[in-house]
Amino acid sequence: MNRVDGKIALVTGGARGLGGMSARKLAEAGAKVVITDLREKDAAITLEAIKAAGGEAKFFKHDVANEEQWDAAVKFTVDAYGGLDILLNNAGVGGAAKPLEELSLNAWRHLMSINLDGVFLGFKYAIPPMKARAHLWPGGGSIISISSIMGFIGGSRAAAYCASKGGVRLLSKAAALELAPAKIRVNSVHPGFINTPGLRMGEAAMNQRSEGGYQRWVDGVVSRHPLGRLGEEQDIAHAVRFLASDDSAFITGTEIVVDGGYLAQ
Amino acid sequence: MNRLDGKVALITGGARGLGGATAKMMAAGGAKVLITDLLEEAGAATVAEIERAGGKAAFLRHDVTDEAGWQKAVKFAADRFGGLDILVNNAGIASDGKSIEQTSLESWRRVIAIDLDSLFLGVKHSIPAISARAGQWPGGGAIINISSIMGLVGMAGAASYIAAKGGVRLFTKAAALELAPKRIRVNSVHPGFIDTDMVRNGFKDLAARAGGIGENAIRDMITQRHPIGRMGMPIDIANAVCFLASDDAAFMTGTEVVVDGGYTAQ
């Protein structure tokens, strides 16, 4: 179940974190995977892990905000493996926590260029090769975009992030309608707070501000997840793999929320 | 992946349709399955099919609106299979296609009883058994409630069904919050129109009422509302239920999985 044998996947931000684990799970389930990212060292570690487990993957250095590089990333995938069946738009940034009136237009645009423009460009360049092979699979092609619980609810001092993730959510629905006749399914995944290198990035600064500050922050975050823990990378990767597989053949234009109950309150 | 080895599942309305497909898939995934239903022959046939394939299953006649019947069903699962880990509240009926003005209170109550009261009773009486074993699994125990796209959007001539299925959606969230400390996850699945007897009978009713529009025309019209260009199959729903029941969905609770071919994306 949830197998993706013979399928070809492109995973952005696939060097580590949610993207890295999703790349591993897709490879483990039989897909050939192109990992794209700016982080070459982390990507090498993930490639190594995939190969050690008997999987197949390659790396392409890629800035998702750059249109030419999207064209090149998709061409690289088609040249390397012969096509494209699964696109995982995972690359994204959190942005600095700033009140709206202190947020610069440049910072807003930088975040949008990665979190939302990057997803639009991914769709645009991935669609032609995906269309060509969608008929091969009972579930057609599959595009999965990582949004967030912040694509449903607001977060203080996270206006740009919320706007970008809300955009990903509705962009996915619009694309789902447009691509249904081409047999390409489009869905979004909405993680709660996941224990990733990205989440831990603020650890040093928080601890510097006050001793044990990071742990106190994590405890506060955990308390908003009814299941009583942060998510783990594999929690998201499993949902991605399900959506990538033919087992979700009738699922398109919808959201899979993987948040330990955060939004249910 | 999505394996259910060693787990015990109770599936209401499991004789045929979505419930039948789910029962077969869960048994193939390693679960021991208690099928409950009012349809004894179909239930026995599904059990026999599962056993022929090497799986484990049993049938119990069970009216989901009857509280004592629920207690009996949970006890049966414990006696026969050693406990309970997964509850799939699938049994349900459609409303009769009448307008709100023409719907009798009796008919309203019947739909609410079968489609909504049953969930309350099922969850209430399953909690002790499921929580007793929830510590054994990385993803804890799992309750999956079959709602509908009609738990998300409205439709004329189906008010009681929609009210019940909307109730299922929010009851699921309330239960998810209450049961999280017990390590029981609770989620709802929202099918679009699925090719089952219930839906085909609904088309027949609609055709009879519409007069002049045939069943096939209604089917085409409904199919067109699914951007993916087809109605769903029972297996489409069974796959989503099995995913939610498995430890692969360990961080999912209190949410909806919509399996509707894009119906509600428009």
Side-chain angles (χ1 to χ4, degrees):
Chain A
M1 289 187 264
N2 297 184
R3 298 290 308 180
V4 285
D5 298 285
K7 297 191 185 185
I8 300 153
L10 193 163
V11 179
T12 71
R16 63 175 201 180
L18 304 187
M21 185 57 77
S22 297
R24 288 192 201 196
K25 292 278 178 184
L26 288 170
E28 189 186 290
K32 294 174 190 136
V33 181
V34 170
I35 289 172
T36 82
D37 208 307
L38 290 172
R39 299 174 187 274
E40 296 178 73
K41 275 190 198 159
D42 290 315
I45 295 168
T46 299
L47 279 187
E48 198 55 45
I50 289 174
K51 285 176 182 161
E56 174 62 46
K58 290 185 195 302
F59 172 70
F60 185 82
K61 190 171 172 178
H62 176 205
D63 172 359
V64 293
N66 182 302
E67 183 163 11
E68 288 78 32
Q69 288 184 29
W70 258 112
D71 192 20
V74 170
K75 282 204 173 98
F76 175 86
T77 307
V78 172
D79 290 345
Y81 293 130
L84 183 58
D85 306 297
I86 298 161
L87 170 63
L88 175 58
N89 286 308
N90 163 76
V93 292
K98 280 200 171 159
L100 267 169
E101 69 269 31
E102 289 171 29
L103 185 64
S104 72
L105 181 57
N106 273 345
W108 165 276
R109 281 190 176 144
H110 174 70
L111 185 143
M112 287 300 162
S113 74
I114 298 166
N115 286 12
L116 189 52
D117 296 357
V119 176
F120 157 64
L121 291 172
F123 279 74
K124 184 175 164 78
Y125 285 93
I127 289 168
M130 288 184 72
K131 273 184 175 169
R133 284 168 55 96
H135 67 279
L136 293 176
W137 318 108
S142 179
I143 299 178
I144 302 136
S145 300
I146 303 295
S147 176
S148 167
I149 50 172
M150 302 294 171
F152 281 95
I153 56 167
S156 181
R157 294 152 66 97
Y161 186 76
C162 291
S164 72
K165 293 303 188 179
V168 168
R169 179 174 169 224
L170 268 294
L171 169 63
S172 294
K173 287 188 194 288
L177 299 180
E178 199 170 312
L179 297 177
K183 289 204 74 199
I184 298 172
R185 299 180 295 108
V186 188
N187 296 286
S188 53
V189 172
H190 299 259
F193 286 78
I194 311 295
N195 187 19
T196 61
L199 189 82
R200 294 189 294 270
M201 235 152 45
E203 184 169 356
M206 282 188 214
N207 285 339
Q208 205 171 17
R209 273 200 299 275
S210 75
E211 205 184 307
Y214 178 72
Q215 193 52 48
R216 275 195 302 281
W217 177 76
V218 167
D219 290 346
V221 167
V222 165
S223 72
R224 281 180 269 155
H225 295 73
L227 283 183
R229 65 170 173 96
L230 294 176
E232 294 297 329
E233 291 168 357
Q234 65 171 19
D235 292 320
I236 306 305
H238 288 148
V240 166
R241 186 180 60 191
F242 173 63
L243 286 173
S245 79
D246 294 331
D247 291 340
S248 60
F250 200 55
I251 300 184
T252 194
T254 191
E255 305 93 354
I256 301 285
V257 177
V258 187
D259 71 349
Y262 194 110
L263 290 179
Q265 307 167 89
Chain B
M1 291 177 260
N2 297 183
R3 294 292 307 181
L4 304 169
D5 299 284
K7 298 189 184 184
V8 180
L10 191 164
I11 304 173
T12 69
R16 58 174 195 176
L18 306 187
T22 301
K24 287 181 229 173
M25 194 177 285
M26 284 194 163
K32 293 168 213 154
V33 180
L34 174 59
I35 292 171
T36 80
D37 210 307
L38 290 172
L39 304 169
E40 295 181 65
E41 264 179 49
T46 302
V47 168
E49 196 181 329
I50 288 171
E51 286 175 342
R52 271 199 305 278
K56 285 206 167 59
F59 174 78
L60 181 73
R61 189 186 146 88
H62 173 209
D63 172 355
V64 292
T65 65
D66 172 36
E67 185 157 15
W70 265 110
Q71 289 164 315
K72 199 174 136 198
V74 172
K75 187 170 181 301
F76 188 96
D79 291 347
R80 176 69 70 94
F81 294 133
L84 188 60
D85 306 295
I86 300 161
L87 170 65
V88 183
N89 283 306
N90 163 75
I93 56 165
S95 49
D96 55 13
K98 285 188 181 156
S99 69
I100 294 171
E101 300 141 86
Q102 289 171 332
T103 298
S104 68
L105 181 58
E106 190 192 3
S107 146
W108 165 274
R109 283 193 174 141
R110 179 162 181 265
V111 172
I112 300 293
I114 296 172
D115 290 354
L116 186 54
D117 294 0
S118 63
L119 264 82
F120 157 63
L121 293 174
V123 171
K124 179 179 162 92
H125 292 291
S126 303
I127 291 170
I130 299 180
S131 68
R133 284 164 53 104
Q136 292 187 16
W137 318 109
I143 298 176
I144 298 118
N145 298 322
I146 305 298
S147 177
S148 167
I149 49 172
M150 301 302 161
L152 302 168
V153 297
M155 186 182 226
S160 57
Y161 185 73
I162 283 162
K165 292 302 190 181
V168 169
R169 177 174 172 231
L170 267 295
F171 174 76
T172 297
K173 289 184 194 288
L177 297 180
E178 204 170 308
L179 300 181
K182 295 184 193 287
R183 301 201 68 224
I184 302 174
R185 298 179 296 104
V186 191
N187 295 287
S188 54
V189 171
H190 299 258
F193 284 83
I194 311 295
D195 199 354
T196 61
D197 288 343
M198 187 178 98
V199 167
R200 282 191 293 266
N201 289 337
F203 291 166
K204 243 179 245 168
D205 286 354
L206 273 175
R209 208 179 318 279
I213 306 176
E215 248 174 273
N216 287 340
I218 287 171
R219 189 191 171 92
D220 289 347
M221 205 172 70
I222 294 287
T223 300
Q224 277 167 20
R225 290 197 206 163
H226 299 77
I228 223 166
R230 65 168 173 96
M231 293 212 304
M233 302 301 291
I235 198 178
D236 293 317
I237 307 307
N239 277 318
V241 173
C242 287
F243 172 66
L244 286 171
S246 78
D247 294 332
D248 289 345
F251 201 54
M252 291 180 72
T253 195
T255 191
E256 304 92 356
V257 173
V258 179
V259 188
D260 71 351
Y263 191 108
T264 55
Q266 308 168 85

